[in-house]
Amino acid sequence: MQCEICGKRPAVVHFTEIVNNKKSEYHVCEKCAEEKGYHVPLVKTKFSVGDLLAGMVDQPGSAEESRVGRVQCPKCGLVYSNFKETGRLGCSECYPTFRAQLRPLLRRIHGSTKHVGKTPIRDAARVALRREVQRLHEQLQKAIEREEFEAAAELRDRIRTMETSGVPPQPEVGAP
Amino acid sequence: MKLEGLSRSLGRWLDGTGPVSDIVLSTRVRLARNLGGVPFTHRAREEQLAMVYSSILSAVRKTPALSQSIALEMRDLSPLDRQFLVERHLISNDLADLSKVRGLLVVPDESISAMVNEEDHLRLQALASGFQLRSAWEAVNTIDDELAQDLDYAFSDELGYLTACPTNVGTGMRASVLIHLPSLVLTKQIGRVLQGITQVGLAVRGFYGEGSQIMGNFFQISNQTTLGQSEKETVDSLERVTKQIIESEQRARDELLKDARVQIEDKVWRAYGALRHSRVISSQEVVNLSSAVRFGVALRIEGLASVQTLNELLVRSQPAHLQIAVGRELEQRERNILRADYVRKLLADGGSFPVANN
């Protein structure tokens, strides 16, 4: 939602005014709210990236700031100064492009710059795993038919390890 | 009307059966995801957004737990329908606001839903009744794993899941509880408690999440950070803090009862009386009065309403819900009369859903 006054920045201050029993709702950005003197509630409800950025990168209007502001993402064309206004990056490539500028910001927001959570289970890895398990199952079946029980036991163990660990197989040398 | 099914049923998260549901209304865990190679929603072209929508829809159809999902494209919905979904906590104002290819996928009991092309391409959420952070996390985590087999998520080893806003990068997870704290408000301890919450890296928001007002003594408490902590650690820490808040609420309640039991009971019963007998009522009044009644239920006062009825009241008395129930748009004046009528009937029947004939 955009600010109803300037129409540029996102609306982060939402309030209801009741005058003579007539209710009106307003959605404005922080800057316009401040300029108009609207009361900003005690509990700040929005984490403002603009606030964090203000006073972080150099002096306003300095040569350094205008240089940094012009850095452009080669993939989506977003320039850094645009991010400073909206608080939104343009694409996943913006992260490596603005890495130097984002690192201190991420540290301020999160107290860290390193992901330690989950990792997506990639399709390719899954498919490779599934295929390999299937191939080993077929070999196992053949081994049993040929009554090669030692080989069968070994295959069975490999399948089990693979299924429980979920790790895709390393390329095998000399596989049939 | 597209929302017929949803408007007749009531999400499982509102059934009041979850743990501590007299204090914690609901638990929500959402994951923000984007597809690699496509600009984030606000920078993407129309056809790219359409491609994102169809990829997510097809991945959802292949996921057994989501195969029954209802798909709603925002463009096909009237403003009233979209407002209904906001009131139901299924979409954000932002999704309802704009006219790009945006959509909602939701399973019939509303326990799992996905917003497509909101700020991020995919916002997957699990919504549960009462206080159950772990199971909500597990539900959304499992589905995220299944979807990742079909969807190529934007991810970096260093920064995790990449999101449009750097405040979500990393786990992309926002876990939250919607908690009712009347005793802490009445005893004026709430300011101190909220300050404590923000000091431990959690955020406090209003009834409808980010940017919304605090009303009816409801507070939404959620994690603020998404980097440097695993999903499990984040959920555990929110759970620990929520337990402490529940304990302070209970302590404050005991103090209140010791000092002013009759006055409290009087407040609860007057609120109940107003709901039970009013002829014209605004939704703000319903929220505030039902907060007092909910407080009475938490105090084990007999003869009030069930938690489920109060939850139902809270959601179904909202403007869009009322208008969809009667099948037409209503002026605010008409709504306030119809709402009073509906609230009286609901409290008299203890839960069944009246549909007006006019």
Side-chain angles (χ1 to χ4, degrees), chain B residues 159-222:
Chain B
L159 293 175
Y161 294 91
L162 303 176
T163 52
C165 182
T167 51
N168 293 314
V169 74
T171 60
M173 182 178 81
R174 195 75 69 214
S176 65
V177 290
L178 189 55
I179 189 167
H180 187 235
L181 302 173
S183 310
L184 289 173
V185 172
L186 270 174
T187 57
K188 300 197 164 55
Q189 298 176 61
I190 193 72
R192 193 176 47 78
V193 171
L194 297 186
Q195 206 179 357
I197 293 169
T198 49
Q199 273 165 8
V200 295
L202 300 176
V204 185
R205 301 188 162 101
F207 192 68
Y208 289 106
E210 196 162 310
S212 69
Q213 294 174 337
I214 297 208
M215 53 185 203
N217 302 317
F218 276 109
F219 300 85
Q220 195 190 84
I221 298 164
S222 65

Side-chain angles (χ1 to χ4, degrees), chain B residues 270-291:
Chain B
R270 278 168 186 266
Y272 180 78
L275 285 173
R276 187 74 183 72
H277 297 290
S278 72
R279 294 310 195 252
V280 182
I281 197 165
S282 72
S283 57
Q284 187 64 48
E285 263 184 291
V286 172
V287 171
N288 292 335
L289 293 170
S290 68
S291 165

Side-chain angles (χ1 to χ4, degrees), chain A residues 1 14 16 46-47 76 78 88-90 95 99 103 110 112 114-118 120 122-123 126 130, chain B residues 40 42-43 94 119 141 144-145 149 152 157-158 160-161 163-164 166-167 170 210-211 224 226 228-229 231:
Chain A
M1 193 186 292
H14 309 270
T16 311
K46 166 97 187 176
F47 206 104
C76 71
L78 185 94
R88 303 281 179 276
L89 292 161
Y95 278 95
R99 190 170 189 274
R103 272 181 77 87
H110 301 286
S112 167
K114 181 87 190 100
H115 176 60
V116 292
K118 70 182 283 193
R122 299 276 187 194
D123 194 17
R126 279 260 176 141
R130 231 180 286 144
Chain B
F40 299 141
H42 74 113
R43 299 279 295 178
D94 281 355
E119 181 181 301
N141 185 29
D144 179 52
D145 282 344
Q149 293 177 55
D152 177 26
D157 288 335
E158 187 193 5
Y161 294 91
T163 52
T167 51
E210 196 162 310
Q224 182 76 275
T226 50
Q229 221 184 14
E231 293 86 351

Side-chain angles (χ1 to χ4, degrees), chain A residues 14-74:
Chain A
H14 309 270
F15 64 97
T16 311
E17 188 178 70
I18 299 166
V19 178
N20 299 329
N21 277 331
K22 200 178 170 320
K23 195 171 131 185
S24 322
E25 282 187 9
Y26 298 95
H27 308 279
V28 297
C29 70
E30 266 180 330
K31 194 157 175 227
C32 293
E34 207 170 286
E35 278 168 9
K36 293 273 171 189
Y38 294 144
H39 171 72
V40 177
L42 186 72
V43 181
K44 206 166 174 188
T45 51
K46 166 97 187 176
F47 206 104
S48 163
V49 179
D51 271 6
L52 282 161
L53 284 160
M56 260 192 61
V57 190
D58 345 295
Q59 296 301 307
S62 74
E64 176 61 11
E65 180 175 276
S66 63
R67 190 193 63 76
V68 167
R70 283 198 306 270
V71 176
Q72 190 174 28
C73 174

Side-chain angles (χ1 to χ4, degrees), chain B residues 215-267:
Chain B
M215 53 185 203
N217 302 317
F218 276 109
F219 300 85
Q220 195 190 84
I221 298 164
S222 65
N223 63 301
Q224 182 76 275
T225 64
T226 50
L227 270 177
Q229 221 184 14
S230 73
E231 293 86 351
K232 181 88 179 28
E233 288 167 327
T234 305
V235 163
D236 285 350
S237 108
L238 180 61
E239 188 174 76
R240 255 193 328 272
V241 174
T242 306
K243 276 187 184 151
Q244 285 173 9
I245 299 168
I246 293 170
E247 279 164 24
S248 359
E249 169 66 19
Q250 283 162 339
R251 264 200 308 278
R253 179 199 293 174
D254 293 344
E255 282 165 35
L256 275 173
L257 283 181
K258 208 171 70 195
D259 298 342
R261 175 180 278 277
V262 182
Q263 286 79 356
I264 297 289
E265 286 182 355
D266 181 63
K267 190 175 155 64

